[in-house]
Amino acid sequence: MSATFVGMPAFPEAARAALGNTQLRQNLSHATGTIRSKRAAVVAEVDDWEELRLAGAEIKDRTLRHLDEHLLQLESALQARGVTVHWARDAAEACAVVAGIARGHGVDEVVKVKSMATQEINLNEALAAEGIAAWETDLAELIVQLGDDLPSHILVPAIHRNRSEVREIFRTRMASAGRPAPEGLTDEPRDLAAAARLHLREKFLRARVAISGANFAVAETGTLVVVESEGNGRMCLTLPEVLVSVVGIEKLVPTWQDLDVFLQLLPRSSTGERMNPYTSTWSGVTPGDGPQELHVVLLDNGRTNVLADEVGRQALRCIRCSACLNVCPVYERTGGHAYGSVYPGPIGAILNPLLKGVGVDEQTDSLPYASTLCGACFEVCPVRIDIPEVLVHLRGKVVDAHRSGRPTGPDLAMRAAAWVLGDARRTAIAEVAAGLSGRVVAAVGRRALPGGRTAIGRLPWPASLWTDARDLPSPPRESFRAWWRRTDGGRRDDAGQGR
Ligand code: SF4
């Protein structure tokens, strides 16, 4: 199942703690603001961006409709090129396959390309339990690993760290994992990158087994694709003797022509670049060139359950660009750890419950509520995942999963509202009553809002469940019906004169 961080509380509690960390919010605000601007600028350059988004969504949906056939085609193409294909139903099976391959080669360390799938299945921890060290080689992943930290962003896992924190991590922790940081290391980005490069270089040259994920898998030729910015992926994919790629079954695209669309959508949406600095593709074993033993682990781990959900299956279009995180007002304030998973932000709020199922634990069930439903995530998503639609769908499933047979407070409130709103006379009486009581409450606890509006302040329990977290606008002095009667539907003015 998806990797939720062990012991994490439900989102509201974790978010409250994160909101008290001013340094974290400053780091996040600066980083997400920078990526947002870069993305907006490069997307604006593309005249047919909306057509590209539509094409991306259509290709993914078409692929998912025939996923069984495409997967078999991919398997055949991979095998024809000398690749060993493994099928993994869940995290345990996938980890066992990878550990078995590493053990079979007698290694006690592997190097890794940044991969969400391997984080999802907790591969590093599974390998550590077998006495095999898994070294992350992406710079941000290295910072997280050395800092004994948790990732907080899909693309930039150490986004919550600023450069002086990174310097401190390198200075104090690098030696325990290999080559120490140079003497007198500064917090200049160039110096930090050079320190990481030296530290990693000896690992690249020594490792006999590498582990990667894949951004895409092209079924027609059995080609795997990794896009990255640093070149560490290219080193892992070419230097070791053995390469194991753990690939979620939704990463598949049928043809190279389909891939073309995503190679335009992904870099602009993720790093705000026109194209990736490094795009590596490999199709099986090439004698004398690159790894001579290739394995692909095709991972389900809940994806077929997502596919069975008619509303939720659009989440399988995700190409992990992280654009939705960078525009989300909730993510920007709480950071990624509050979501308690390797998949944070808006996509995490839907993907985790979809992969794990709702009603399993409180933390996962809290995620569909970690959103204002503002829709900014849908606006930027390169494959048009309607995240707000899926969030509302999942909230319904969470409510259903917790029904005990006895009506809850919200159930009773909804039944009462249906009874009142189902009859015009009852609605009219309720409006008068609401206006009177609302004015009394507003007079007690009125507070000013921007734009000259007012809201009702804090109310006692149970109404405080609403007023503690949201503005409750003061009721208008006159109901719509009263206004209609008084003005004859707007045909008379306040003085009773016809317009
Ligand atoms: S949901 Fe869309 S915007 Fe968010 S990471 Fe996935 S592809 Fe990117």
Side-chain angles (χ1 to χ4, degrees):
M1 277 305 131
S2 77
T4 39
F5 304 145
V6 176
M8 277 300 286
F11 183 83
E13 198 183 323
R16 195 169 297 120
L19 286 170
N21 185 338
T22 313
Q23 179 69 61
L24 171 76
R25 282 164 58 194
Q26 278 173 1
N27 295 353
L28 281 169
S29 170
H30 174 71
T32 53
T34 306
I35 307 177
R36 267 202 307 272
S37 314
K38 281 181 73 181
R39 177 204 162 269
V42 294
V43 163
E45 294 172 352
V46 184
D47 291 337
D48 60 350
W49 183 253
E50 282 312 307
E51 284 77 11
L52 272 175
R53 289 179 76 211
L54 284 165
E58 193 278 327
I59 292 166
K60 282 285 183 178
D61 284 351
R62 173 163 45 83
T63 308
L64 290 169
R65 271 199 299 278
H66 304 286
L67 190 58
D68 51 345
E69 294 164 25
H70 293 308
L71 282 168
L72 292 177
Q73 186 190 10
L74 175 69
E75 181 186 38
S76 301
L78 286 165
Q79 287 170 337
R81 291 170 179 265
V83 180
T84 306
V85 178
H86 311 260
W87 296 85
R89 272 172 297 204
D90 54 27
E93 283 190 5
C95 290
V97 169
V98 181
I101 296 166
R103 265 199 321 268
H105 286 272
V107 299
D108 60 5
E109 65 173 359
V110 297
V111 284
K112 281 187 71 203
V113 188
K114 176 171 165 33
S115 147
M116 294 307 297
T118 58
Q119 286 186 18
E120 176 190 319
I121 60 174
N122 282 333
L123 180 62
N124 290 9
E125 291 75 4
L127 290 176
E130 303 263 350
I132 302 164
W135 303 118
E136 297 289 351
T137 63
D138 171 86
L139 178 55
E141 292 287 6
L142 176 70
I143 294 165
V144 169
Q145 187 173 48
L146 290 176
D148 205 12
D149 200 352
L150 295 167
S152 68
H153 190 276
I154 291 175
L155 190 74
V156 197
I159 196 169
H160 54 287
R161 298 289 195 188
N162 62 28
R163 58 191 192 172
S164 50
E165 291 174 298
V166 173
R167 171 185 171 272
E168 203 48 27
I169 290 169
F170 280 10
R171 213 180 52 75
T172 56
R173 307 299 292 272
M174 257 183 177
S176 64
R179 183 181 175 125
E183 281 295 318
L185 179 66
T186 74
D187 64 1
E188 282 302 310
R190 178 195 293 263
D191 288 351
L192 295 172
R197 191 176 293 123
L198 287 172
H199 178 81
L200 290 171
R201 189 61 51 123
E202 63 176 24
K203 290 189 163 58
F204 289 134
L205 295 174
R206 197 174 59 218
R208 290 172 48 221
V209 176
I211 296 168
S212 82
N215 294 94
F216 306 99
V218 184
E220 67 177 349
T221 52
T223 303
L224 299 189
V225 183
V226 161
V227 295
E228 42 133 359
S229 298
E230 298 169 14
N232 63 299
R234 180 76 54 88
M235 301 284 255
C236 292
L237 299 170
T238 51
L239 291 176
E241 299 152 27
V242 181
L243 173 61
V244 188
S245 302
V246 181
V247 183
I249 54 175
E250 84 286 12
K251 295 290 171 193
L252 197 146
V253 291
T255 67
W256 278 80
Q257 201 174 354
D258 298 324
L259 179 66
D260 178 19
V261 172
F262 297 105
L263 291 185
Q264 295 177 71
L265 288 169
L266 182 54
R268 289 178 195 264
S269 301
S270 56
T271 49
E273 292 169 305
R274 296 186 182 99
M275 65 180 291
N276 295 93
Y278 296 89
T279 300
S280 301
T281 65
W282 66 103
S283 308
V285 177
T286 305
D289 183 10
Q292 295 300 291
E293 183 179 325
L294 290 182
H295 297 261
V296 172
V297 183
L298 292 171
L299 176 72
D300 182 341
N301 203 34
R303 284 159 176 78
T304 44
N305 295 338
V306 184
L307 195 55
D309 184 321
E310 287 184 13
V311 179
R313 68 173 60 136
Q314 57 187 306
L316 294 179
R317 291 184 204 148
C318 178
I319 54 173
R320 310 281 191 264
C321 72
S322 73
C324 57
L325 278 65
N326 301 329
V327 296
C328 177
V330 176
Y331 176 87
E332 185 175 337
R333 282 154 187 82
T334 65
H337 291 159
Y339 295 80
S341 163
V342 299
Y343 298 116
I347 182 61
I350 61 171
L351 197 54
N352 291 302
L354 286 167
L355 288 171
K356 277 180 94 170
V358 297
V360 177
D361 62 66
E362 188 191 357
Q363 197 276 334
T364 308
D365 284 357
S366 71
L367 293 177
Y369 298 90
S371 169
T372 62
L373 303 180
C374 70
C377 46
F378 171 67
E379 294 295 320
V380 296
C381 178
V383 284
R384 293 177 60 86
I385 299 173
D386 192 340
I387 293 177
E389 180 191 25
V390 183
L391 285 167
V392 171
H393 166 69
L394 287 170
R395 289 179 188 186
K397 292 184 84 164
V398 170
V399 170
D400 285 343
H402 290 277
R403 282 191 203 286
S404 64
R406 282 201 312 272
T408 61
D411 288 337
L412 294 173
M414 285 299 140
R415 278 185 210 169
W419 183 78
V420 170
L421 296 172
D423 178 273
R425 233 164 43 84
R426 287 197 288 264
T427 306
I429 294 168
E431 276 182 358
V432 174
L436 287 175
S437 59
R439 255 174 268 157
V440 172
V441 171
V444 175
R446 192 190 298 270
R447 120 185 126 67
L449 291 178
R453 296 172 301 126
T454 57
I456 292 173
R458 193 163 191 282
L459 292 176
W461 191 88
S464 62
L465 294 174
W466 182 277
T467 56
D468 278 359
R470 304 170 181 86
D471 294 326
L472 182 61
S474 303
R477 302 200 69 75
E478 184 178 38
S479 72
F480 175 76
R481 283 162 188 267
W483 170 85
W484 186 273
R485 271 197 308 275
R486 182 172 57 75
T487 65
D488 190 18
R491 283 184 278 275
R492 287 199 304 269
D493 61 18
D494 285 346
Q497 303 296 316
R499 291 183 196 273

